[in-house]
């Protein structure tokens, strides 16, 4: 999987600063990953679609691949906020994540296909993926998850740009990516 381009934050907005403060409060409660993801999603939702959330630079795409803008990485490594900009047709590989994650669609829509890993049944058989759900997340949609069971692929099937915000329970500035594994296995669709 090609690692998307990452950029450190050069400017911010008041709304983005307020969102970071809200996320910090939710993460700081020290709850289990699934509950933390739920609380972070509640904090993220009211900001989605707001014209004053991102700078023009943070809304820029890359013609070669989806673009990752690191918006914030908490100094203690407890969470990171990333903006992903998807031009038409751009997609991820099938992958899972290093930590809990919350995504919210800020502009356009994101398509997602979720998978379940079926281990090899015995000698002469191979592990494979089974698609379990196809989801279209429109502007304003929020979803979250905590590993395991977070294998998916995301893409922009629309004719215009899509932007989504992703909050990870990990230090993406240090790791460079939220991806734990890329799955190059047969899939049923």
């Amino acid at each position: 999987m090609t690692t998307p381009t990452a950029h450190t934050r050069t400017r911010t907005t008041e709304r983005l600063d307020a969102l970071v403060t809200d996320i910090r409060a939710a993460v700081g409660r020290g709850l289990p990953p699934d509950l933390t993801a739920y609380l972070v999603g509640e904090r993220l939702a009211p900001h989605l679609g707001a014209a004053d959330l991102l700078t023009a630079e943070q809304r820029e795409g890359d013609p070669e691949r989806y673009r990752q803008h690191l918006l914030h990485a908490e100094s203690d490594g407890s969470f990171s906020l990333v903006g992903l900009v998807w031009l038409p047709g751009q997609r991820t590989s099938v992958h899972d994540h290093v930590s809990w994650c919350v995504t919210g669609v800020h502009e356009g829509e994101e398509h997602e296909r979720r998978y379940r890993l079926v281990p090899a049944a015995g000698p002469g058989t191979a592990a494979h993926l089974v698609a379990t759900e196809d989801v279209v997340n429109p502007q304003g949609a929020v979803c979250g998850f905590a590993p395991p069971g977070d294998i998916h692929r995301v893409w922009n099937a629309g004719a215009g740009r899509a932007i989504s915000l992703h909050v990870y329970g990990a230090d993406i500035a240090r790791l460079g990516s939220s991806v734990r594994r890329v799955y190059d296995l047969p899939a049923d669709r």
Side-chain angles (χ1 to χ4, degrees), residues 88-101:
Q90 293 179 338
R91 66 179 49 226
T92 68
S93 299
V94 177
H95 65 281
D96 63 9
H97 295 273
V98 298
S99 70
W100 60 264
C101 176

Side-chain angles (χ1 to χ4, degrees), residues 38-123:
Y38 179 81
L39 291 175
V40 168
E42 284 186 329
R43 278 27 175 224
L44 177 60
H47 298 278
L48 296 172
D52 61 342
L53 180 61
L54 301 176
T55 67
E57 179 182 74
Q58 294 163 342
R59 298 169 53 85
E60 290 177 359
D62 180 330
E64 298 297 317
R65 65 189 63 81
Y66 69 95
R67 185 170 184 183
Q68 174 177 292
H69 294 274
L70 179 61
L71 304 174
H72 178 82
E74 191 72 351
S75 61
D76 67 2
S78 60
F79 74 92
S80 300
L81 175 60
V82 176
L84 296 182
V85 181
W86 311 81
L87 299 180
Q90 293 179 338
R91 66 179 49 226
T92 68
S93 299
V94 177
H95 65 281
D96 63 9
H97 295 273
V98 298
S99 70
W100 60 264
C101 176
V102 174
T103 64
V105 179
H106 181 62
E107 177 183 314
E109 63 182 27
E110 254 184 15
H111 292 246
E112 177 185 20
R113 179 165 292 149
R114 298 173 185 169
Y115 294 92
R116 178 176 48 87
L117 178 63
V118 178

